[in-house]
């Protein structure tokens, strides 16, 4: 009799060990799922922040463009810092409150599209694919087909709505530059 009870206890210990491993596996999978959900939520929050900051850059570019007409037409800034203090104005004129950090990269670098040496569009340097694919404002409607945040262009008036001319090159007359470090950026 004694040999039979030892064998049963051994079987029970093996079953308990398998149950413990299965429980640990479920716990690990649950933890991974929680981390994934948190990462997705964080990316969505950063997207919203990028849309807000981008709209600030867009409004500043438009304001700068309307600010002083040169030869009957508006002009764009040479540098992002010109949006903080317009060098064309006799009095201090600010088109932008601060030069923000890119929420997608965490760095104070922005990609710039230039026409004739002047900034016409600002964009993130992140190559990550956006989560948001719909529900954009009218100014951002072109973002639906974006393959990365680099394609989210925040442009002044009379600028191209698409990032490239189809072959990966910027549209005619537009020079893509970046990264452009921003001094004194804020989050």
């Amino acid at each position: 009799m004694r040999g039979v009870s030892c064998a049963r206890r051994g079987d029970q210990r093996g079953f308990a060990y398998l149950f413990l491993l299965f429980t640990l596996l479920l716990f690990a999978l649950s933890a991974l799922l929680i981390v994934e959900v948190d990462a997705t939520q964080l990316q969505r929050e950063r997207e919203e922040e990028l849309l807000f900051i981008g709209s600030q850059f867009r409004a500043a570019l438009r304001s700068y463009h309307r600010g002083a007409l040169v030869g009957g037409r508006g002009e764009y800034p040479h540098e992002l810092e010109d949006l903080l203090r317009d060098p064309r104005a006799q009095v201090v004129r600010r088109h932008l409150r601060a030069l923000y950090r890119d929420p997608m990269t965490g760095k104070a670098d922005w990609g710039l599209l230039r026409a004739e040496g002047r900034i016409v569009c600002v964009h993130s340097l992140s190559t990550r694919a956006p989560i948001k694919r719909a529900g954009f404002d009218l100014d951002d409607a072109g973002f639906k087909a974006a393959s990365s945040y680099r394609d989210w262009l925040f442009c002044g008036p009379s600028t191209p709505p698409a990032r490239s001319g189809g072959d990966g090159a910027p549209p005619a007359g537009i020079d893509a530059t970046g990264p452009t470090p921003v001094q004194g950026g804020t989050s």
Side-chain angles (χ1 to χ4, degrees), residues 4-170:
V4 171
S5 83
C6 284
R8 286 186 183 162
R9 271 190 263 148
D11 289 345
Q12 289 174 352
R13 276 188 253 151
F15 180 73
Y17 181 69
L18 285 176
F19 181 75
L20 176 65
L21 286 177
F22 182 72
T23 304
L24 288 174
L25 177 66
L26 286 178
F27 181 73
L29 289 175
S30 299
L32 284 173
L33 182 62
I34 289 170
V35 167
E36 179 67 28
V37 167
D38 284 348
T40 301
Q41 180 61 31
L42 181 61
Q43 186 175 351
R44 287 184 191 277
E45 290 171 5
R46 287 181 178 166
E47 280 183 355
E48 288 301 315
E49 187 177 359
L50 178 60
L51 288 169
F52 170 77
I53 291 170
S55 70
Q56 297 298 303
F57 275 118
R58 180 185 293 120
L61 287 169
R62 288 176 177 171
S63 174
Y64 191 97
H65 189 264
R66 283 190 312 263
L69 297 178
V70 177
R73 65 182 186 104
E75 63 181 17
Y76 291 100
H78 286 287
E79 302 299 329
L80 287 177
E81 289 78 9
D82 293 346
L83 298 173
L84 295 177
R85 185 178 175 123
D86 192 338
R88 307 168 301 172
Q90 297 293 331
V91 295
V92 175
R93 180 153 187 207
R94 300 183 190 282
H95 303 280
L96 190 65
R97 295 179 67 188
L99 293 177
Y100 301 97
R101 291 186 180 274
D102 180 348
M104 303 315 293
T105 63
K107 297 178 183 174
D109 296 340
W110 291 95
L112 305 175
L113 293 183
R114 295 178 181 266
E116 299 173 11
R118 295 182 175 271
I119 300 168
V120 295
C121 298
V122 177
H123 65 88
S124 174
L125 294 173
S126 174
T127 56
R128 289 184 71 182
I131 294 174
K132 186 171 182 155
R133 297 288 180 181
F136 291 103
D137 292 339
L138 187 58
D139 283 335
D140 302 330
F143 296 174
K144 292 176 186 176
S147 60
S148 75
Y149 295 112
R150 294 179 69 100
D151 297 329
W152 285 15
L153 297 179
F154 302 98
C155 301
S158 306
T159 54
R163 175 164 174 69
S164 69
D167 58 357

